[in-house]
Amino acid sequence: MAHVNEHYFKLKAGYLFPEIARRVNSYCDSNPDADVIRLGIGDVTEPLPPAIVSAMHQAVDEMAQRSSFRGYGPEQGYDFLRNAIVEHDYQSRGIDIAADEIFVSDGSKCDSGNILDIFGPHNVVAITDPVYPVYVDTNVMAGRTGEADESGRFAGLVYLPIGAENGFTPDLPETPVDLIYLCYPNNPTGTVLTREHLQQWVAYAQQNDALILYDAAYEAYISEADVPHSIYELDGAREVAIEFRSFSKNAGFTGTRCAFTVVPKSLTGSREAGQRESIHALWNRRQSTKFNGVSYVIQQGAAAAYSDEGKQQIQELVAFYMTNARLLREGLEAVGIQVYGGVNAPYVWLKTPGEQSSWDFFDQLLEQSHLVGTPGSGFGASGEGYFRLSAFNSRENIEQAVKRFQSLVS
Ligand code: MLT
């Protein structure tokens, strides 16, 4: 008899974004004439930058010739991309990261789930609330939690509420934790941590022998000076943090798929008997066993993101989406809605008008304005009463969405 993983039955029936898509599709099926604008999932809408497209074309041509054809690549990524990442994302900021500490992958979502393979079942995990649901669900699947309570919080996880009352800054945990997920710029709230706050987390991890899983997928959207782009800008972080980065949101790779995870060789974890082991060696072992690397063509495209032309085009893309975020923020504020985020991140986080529940507001917005967003409670109990809008869309749709929002609320 084949036994299934019992832990899956602790999860909510569907993952948040497919569940929203299911509800929206069902609404569209019954209302085929509704012109629905989707600001739910943070999926990019603009085409790949030309410098990237041209590098991919060239790579395809190489694959078409026997002399330049390539089969399996290195599981950790090609050196040309690892070196470009180190030079442009780390050395340029004075950060000490080596090329063999970069693991190129097909996504930060996958990596943030897969990384759990190398950690023991008894680690106590801390997450912010609200939070990117992948961190929670993958720990549930791995059996690191008990059942969920009525509010959806799982026994065994340490929840760190972030909301307007604490400036969206998580307090250090009151009970000891081993693994801490931090996502900054934050998904879903669009808020950031200052250097001082992040340094407190690094110090906590140092003092408590904890490890920080730092998701910096939205780093390109940082516009303010005092916001760290990488956790390794902070003293001591090389000893306590893994960083996830992605080409999805800056270079438009949500469909193309390329990301990377930084695992410093100075990171160690403890075995049950107490001896220290290299996290880098474990992740390398895991990746070379279970992963065959990202395709050559895609890695050449990602490397072009670091060319002068590529950088310029990405900056323009980021500026485009951030203008959308500003239009959303200003448009909502103009009708008295309380908004957060949207300054260093492509997400605007708002208080639902009239204190409606997040899902009630989702229904109202869909049915009356044909707008889709993401209910804050879908990201955790502390997201109740909030709602997330993504700035990834065409300008026309954003302007239209603002008008519809304003006429719904005023
Ligand atoms: C989101 O909408 O939160 C993200 O697009 C999901 C993701 O990046 O996986």
Side-chain angles (χ1 to χ4, degrees), residues 21-34 36 38:
R22 194 187 60 72
R23 290 183 187 222
V24 174
N25 291 339
S26 136
Y27 179 80
C28 291
D29 286 345
S30 330
N31 301 273
D33 296 331
V36 172
R38 295 166 195 250

Side-chain angles (χ1 to χ4, degrees), residues 15 17 40-43 109 132-134 187-188 218 248-249 254 347 374 379 388 390 392:
Y15 179 58
F17 294 107
I41 190 165
D43 192 4
K109 172 176 165 179
Y132 179 42
V134 172
N187 180 13
Y218 298 92
S248 283
K249 314 290 162 140
T254 53
Y347 294 124
T374 309
F379 298 102
R388 193 192 78 175
S390 155
F392 293 118

